[in-house]
């Protein structure tokens, strides 16, 4: 007699998927490990490169900030405030050799040069050299020095900032418009407009007005 298959479940009728003959169910421990691997792969975020404990995104941000600071400093020096180191004794005692000062590059864009201003400028004798001096007379005025006394438009000037007595002389000279006459506060050791030819400085040579000393710490302060 043939075998009776009437009680054998038919996978096609029951809706169950038939497994290939080679398939074998992994043991429970193996199944847990496989499941955990799948979860880790599903939850793993995008790969982020890290150098010395700093991510590339953070590193680029720092580089951007640093580059921005350099640009700001460059723009500030070119158009706003510029540091300048004093190389000589010509402005003693107001400014000592080695002092570091700040100059305002916008001062004369909004107002005229005035008597008493301390300015940094390109030497009319050598444009590659920068000087710092005090404005004694401006365009349209006359300047004269008699035994150390400065006369502007014939009026004696009070100069409490001078370094000691001065007995020099300078002949009466008219300053053309658009120019200034400058001298150092240390009159006995200052190569200023008294020794130039012509005896004045074009305003276009002025780099800015000095307004403060920022180094050394013991000399920090502003100029009158």
């Amino acid at each position: 007699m043939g075998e009776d298959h009437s009680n054998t479940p038919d996978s096609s009728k029951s809706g169950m998927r038939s497994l290939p003959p080679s398939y074998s169910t992994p043991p429970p421990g193996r199944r847990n490990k496989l499941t955990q691997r799948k979860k880790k792969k599903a939850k793993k975020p995008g790969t982020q490169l890290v150098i010395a404990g700093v991510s590339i995104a953070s590193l680029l941000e720092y580089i951007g900030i640093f580059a921005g600071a350099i640009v700001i400093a460059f723009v500030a020096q070119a158009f706003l405030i510029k540091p300048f180191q004093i190389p000589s004794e010509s402005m003693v005692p107001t400014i000592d050799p080695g002092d570091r000062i700040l100059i305002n590059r916008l001062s004369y864009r909004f107002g005229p040069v005035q008597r008493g201003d301390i300015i940094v400028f390109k030497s009319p004798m050598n444009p590659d050299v920068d000087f710092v001096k005090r404005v004694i007379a401006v365009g349209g005025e006359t300047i004269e020095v008699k035994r150390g006394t400065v006369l502007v438009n014939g009026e004696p000037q009070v100069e409490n900032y001078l370094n000691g007595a001065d007995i020099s002389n300078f002949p009466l000279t008219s300053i053309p418009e658009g120019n200034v006459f400058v001298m150092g506060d240390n009159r006995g050791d200052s190569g200023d407009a008294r020794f130039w030819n012509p005896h004045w400085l074009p305003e276009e040579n002025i780099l800015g007005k000095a307004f403060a000393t920022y180094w050394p710490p013991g000399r920090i302060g502003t100029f009158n």
Side-chain angles (χ1 to χ4, degrees), residues 6 30 41 55 59 65 84 114 121 125 138-139 153 172 179 189 201 213 221 224:
S6 59
R30 174 71 173 171
K41 289 182 180 180
S55 68
L59 186 61
I65 293 172
F84 182 78
Q114 297 182 347
F121 57 90
M125 304 294 103
V138 298
N153 298 329
L172 180 65
N179 296 270
D189 189 11
L201 172 74
T213 300
N224 295 328

Side-chain angles (χ1 to χ4, degrees), residues 84-99 101 118-121 129-136 159 161-164 166 182-196 219:
F84 182 78
Q85 185 172 5
I86 305 304
S88 70
E89 298 181 350
S90 68
M91 285 298 292
V92 172
T94 307
I95 310 174
D96 285 345
D99 283 0
I101 65 175
I118 298 175
I119 60 173
V120 174
F121 57 90
V129 177
D130 296 341
F131 285 162
V132 56
K133 305 291 182 188
R134 189 183 296 270
V135 176
I136 305 301
E159 299 182 291
Y161 43 75
L162 293 183
N163 182 32
D166 176 36
V182 297
M183 297 171 69
D185 290 356
N186 187 8
R187 297 286 160 80
D189 189 11
S190 176
D192 49 43
R194 294 172 293 175
F195 308 102
W196 302 345
R219 291 183 55 80

Side-chain angles (χ1 to χ4, degrees), residues 96-163:
D96 285 345
D99 283 0
R100 295 179 184 271
I101 65 175
L102 297 174
I103 63 174
N104 186 340
R105 304 200 66 155
L106 294 179
S107 291
Y108 303 124
R109 292 179 181 270
F110 304 102
V113 184
Q114 297 182 347
R115 271 188 260 158
D117 287 354
I118 298 175
I119 60 173
V120 174
F121 57 90
K122 292 188 176 297
S123 167
M125 304 294 103
N126 183 356
D128 294 328
V129 177
D130 296 341
F131 285 162
V132 56
K133 305 291 182 188
R134 189 183 296 270
V135 176
I136 305 301
V138 298
E141 296 182 327
T142 63
I143 176 73
E144 185 178 9
V145 181
K146 292 183 177 181
R147 292 190 60 81
T149 298
V150 172
L151 296 92
V152 176
N153 298 329
E155 295 292 330
Q157 304 298 299
V158 178
E159 299 182 291
N160 297 325
Y161 43 75
L162 293 183
N163 182 32

